[in-house]
Amino acid sequence: MIAFSGAAVLVLLLVILWQYLRLRQHSRQLDYIHAKLASIVDSGSHERLLLFNSDPHLQKLLTGLNRLLDVNHKGAVELARLEKSMRSMLANISHDLKTPLTVVLGYIETVLHDESVTEEERRHILRTIHAKAEEVIRLMNSFFDLAKLESGDKELPLSRVELGEVCRRNILSFYDILNAKGSEVEIEIPDEAMYIMGNGEALDRVLSNLLSNAIAYGDAGGILGLRLYSDGGQACIEVWDRGKGITEDHQDKVFERLYTLEDSRWPGYQGSGLGLTITKRLTEQMNGNITVSSKPFVRTAFTLSFRRLTF
């Protein structure tokens, strides 16, 4: 009996010792996880928590922590990208505002201090000042428009819109410019009505932006095209030209705010780099999509696609 009791006590002591050692091991592992996690967060490295342990609960904890580290890393990358974008945006805003304002100040000083300025020269200077002031107002309006679009505070009211009418109206508005440039125009608009849920004013601005850019930066090709067609359940509008085009490494960036290509077809829309960003945001607010494809001096095309209404 005494021997049995002694054996039971020994077994109990061994169990207690095993539990103690296991708890101690868990404590060391948790201390390691804490220290390693703090090191990864502080250094901003891409490391992950690795620990050989058969405990399913600890494995779940490590999996959850590694997922959080992935989210934290993606957030840090996005924050760095946004900070870079903001620095670029502020630099561009400063440059775009400084240029016309410098011209305005220079002309004003001329009028104020140069008594030899003739009346005709004075009128020319005032017209230039007026034009530069309008340029600044257009630029500021573009910034405000983009801010409103990206804030999401105001949604576009959508209604049934016929795209053929929108296309005809917008290409006609550029007739005089195209005629003066001697550009060939190729228009493909089907007789069949094609309806989407959209906003007429927003569609006008989107097409105006795309046509303006095609005329300004694609006129080297001597032709501008506007095509409306159906692709499955989608209604698509394509604006194309045969100009200098956009190199492949820039095509995924042309819709970024204030992104300009000094050596490509886009030296900046109206000097601000906002035109295509606004175009993309307006298209997305109408539940549409915009893509670009380009082969220099062969075909550069921007394509809008919307869900086509069947009733």
Side-chain angles (χ1 to χ4, degrees):
M1 184 67 181
I2 295 175
F4 176 77
S5 298
V9 170
L10 180 61
V11 170
L12 181 60
L13 288 173
L14 289 173
V15 170
I16 292 173
L17 178 62
W18 175 78
Q19 289 181 336
Y20 168 76
L21 293 175
R22 187 180 180 189
L23 287 173
R24 187 175 178 182
Q25 182 185 22
H26 273 221
S27 296
R28 286 199 300 267
Q29 289 174 336
L30 289 174
D31 287 340
Y32 165 79
I33 291 172
H34 176 267
K36 188 65 176 177
L37 184 62
S39 173
I40 291 173
V41 173
D42 291 341
S43 65
S45 70
H46 301 165
E47 291 183 80
R48 294 296 175 265
L49 292 168
L50 298 175
L51 187 66
F52 295 101
N53 190 289
S54 59
D55 187 340
H57 299 292
L58 194 56
Q59 290 176 355
K60 287 181 180 178
L61 175 62
L62 288 173
T63 300
L65 288 173
N66 282 327
R67 289 180 63 186
L68 284 175
L69 286 172
D70 287 336
V71 172
N72 180 69
H73 173 60
K74 289 179 182 177
V77 170
E78 180 64 17
L79 178 61
R81 189 188 70 81
L82 287 175
E83 287 178 346
K84 182 179 179 181
S85 176
M86 287 297 294
R87 287 194 296 269
S88 175
M89 182 177 69
L90 290 173
N92 281 327
I93 291 174
S94 175
H95 175 269
D96 292 337
L97 290 177
K98 182 179 179 180
T99 301
L101 289 176
T102 300
V103 174
V104 168
L105 288 174
Y107 275 124
I108 290 175
E109 288 179 2
T110 299
V111 172
L112 289 176
H113 303 295
D114 189 349
E115 297 181 357
S116 65
V117 174
T118 65
E119 185 61 30
E120 183 179 349
E121 289 173 334
R122 189 185 302 274
R123 284 196 297 269
H124 172 72
I125 289 173
L126 289 175
R127 283 195 295 269
T128 303
I129 291 174
H130 182 263
K132 290 298 179 181
E134 287 186 329
E135 182 180 332
V136 172
I137 291 173
R138 283 196 302 269
L139 179 61
M140 295 307 301
N141 285 337
S142 294
F143 285 123
F144 286 130
D145 289 344
L146 182 59
K148 286 189 291 184
L149 286 171
E150 295 194 332
S151 69
D153 293 337
K154 184 178 180 180
E155 293 186 2
L156 286 177
L158 304 182
S159 59
R160 199 164 179 256
V161 179
E162 206 283 296
L163 289 182
E165 178 186 349
V166 174
C167 289
R168 293 184 188 93
R169 179 172 65 242
N170 279 275
I171 195 65
L172 283 173
S173 69
F174 288 95
Y175 174 79
D176 290 338
I177 297 175
L178 291 166
N179 189 50
K181 284 179 170 286
S183 298
E184 181 184 347
V185 181
E186 188 172 308
I187 303 173
E188 297 179 56
I189 301 176
D191 294 332
E192 177 189 4
M194 203 174 296
Y195 292 95
I196 67 165
M197 289 298 293
N199 180 282
E201 184 178 343
L203 283 167
D204 284 340
R205 184 164 188 183
V206 166
L207 275 180
S208 178
N209 283 350
L210 294 180
L211 291 168
S212 295
N213 278 291
I215 292 170
Y217 308 120
D219 62 344
I223 185 170
L224 179 145
L226 176 63
R227 179 186 176 209
L228 172 62
Y229 63 97
S230 179
D231 183 11
Q234 299 288 305
C236 304
I237 302 174
E238 183 182 69
V239 177
W240 60 271
D241 62 71
R242 292 178 185 158
K244 186 175 181 180
I246 308 168
T247 57
E248 187 175 351
D249 56 328
H250 288 295
Q251 290 178 24
D252 60 339
K253 301 175 182 178
V254 293
F255 298 109
E256 294 180 9
R257 70 173 70 86
L258 294 163
Y259 185 82
T260 58
L261 306 181
E262 294 179 359
D263 299 323
S264 187
R265 116 194 210 105
W266 302 104
Y269 180 75
Q270 296 285 340
S272 70
L274 293 175
L276 287 175
T277 306
I278 292 173
T279 296
K280 181 177 175 64
R281 297 294 185 271
L282 287 172
T283 301
E284 290 172 344
Q285 286 212 1
M286 292 183 285
N287 302 312
N289 185 47
I290 182 169
T291 57
V292 59
S293 63
S294 181
K295 188 172 182 181
F297 299 109
V298 176
R299 186 181 180 89
T300 294
F302 285 85
T303 304
L304 305 166
S305 58
F306 304 92
R307 188 175 67 84
R308 183 177 181 182
L309 297 180
T310 57
F311 56 90

